Amino acid sequence: MDPNVSVISLAAPPAQVREQLARACAGWGFFHLVGHGLDPGLLGAVISDCRA
């Protein structure tokens, strides 16, 4: 098993994203999504709220 968490870009072609998601879910059960277009400030606020 790969010791690294999968980083999946939503900017990739859909078939590639599906393949990477399937592999990440089967191997680790979680993954890091990039290329989603969400504002970094919003993501930081959500993470802070989750930790509170």
Side-chain angles (χ1 to χ4, degrees):
M1 178 159 73
D2 185 350
N4 299 306
V5 173
S6 295
V7 177
I8 300 170
S9 175
L10 293 180
Q16 182 178 346
V17 173
R18 281 190 301 271
E19 180 182 320
Q20 291 176 338
L21 282 171
R23 196 173 329 122
C25 289
W28 276 95
F30 60 94
F31 44 85
H32 180 107
L33 284 178
V34 297
H36 44 63
L38 293 175
D39 181 286
L42 173 62
L43 291 174
V46 169
I47 290 170
S48 292
D49 287 349
C50 289
R51 291 181 177 160

